[in-house]
Amino acid sequence: MNGFLEALEIRPGAGGVVAALGLFAVVAALAGIVNAELPMPGKFVAALVTAIAVGFELRLHVGAHARRRITRAVLAADGHWQIFPADGPQVRGHLSRHWGTSVGPVIALEWQCEDGRCRQAWLVRPLVPADTWRRLRVRLRFA
């Protein structure tokens, strides 16, 4: 059957992997700050702001009460998304942006939902079935 006529279901469950990627990003950013030619107070402030910002973002994405987290999303053949948020009933939404579709092990998706909220999902390649990963990448390229 034509893969474009089938619904495509994704289940982002990569909280631990996203947290590990966030930790890697923090370590890389802190290494850059330490090696920068800044006075010591400037390095301290930059490191503190970086750690707080990344901590806040990770809390939004992988925290137990993440407001933007979804448990499942279904892309219908007509191009509409059904979003199943962790904090309420299913809603319809449209994809507002995505990145990482052509290369790399992560695809980040962001939807604008009918209820006015913005929801996100980060998919990590080893945790998504290969066929689903391939079909999603192809459909996102054509979207």
Side-chain angles (χ1 to χ4, degrees), residues 10-14 18 105-109 121-125 128 133 136:
I10 58 171
R11 294 180 180 267
V18 171
V106 178
I107 296 176
L109 304 168
W122 290 33
L123 304 173
V124 181
R125 187 174 193 159
V128 177
W133 183 267
L136 178 62

Side-chain angles (χ1 to χ4, degrees), residues 56-69:
F56 179 73
E57 283 296 318
L58 284 177
R59 184 171 165 242
L60 282 177
H61 293 290
V62 299
H65 302 289
R67 295 175 308 198
R68 295 180 176 182
R69 192 166 54 96

Side-chain angles (χ1 to χ4, degrees), residues 17-33 50-51 54-55 57-58 122:
V17 176
V18 171
L21 288 172
L23 181 62
F24 176 74
V26 168
V27 170
L30 294 178
I33 291 169
T50 300
V54 171
E57 283 296 318
L58 284 177
W122 290 33

Side-chain angles (χ1 to χ4, degrees), residues 34-85:
V34 167
N35 291 326
E37 293 183 15
L38 293 172
M40 190 53 88
K43 288 182 183 184
F44 177 75
V45 170
L48 185 63
V49 168
T50 300
I52 289 171
V54 171
F56 179 73
E57 283 296 318
L58 284 177
R59 184 171 165 242
L60 282 177
H61 293 290
V62 299
H65 302 289
R67 295 175 308 198
R68 295 180 176 182
R69 192 166 54 96
I70 66 165
T71 58
R72 183 167 67 114
V74 178
L75 174 58
D78 63 0
H80 289 94
W81 287 89
Q82 290 293 325
I83 312 298
F84 297 83

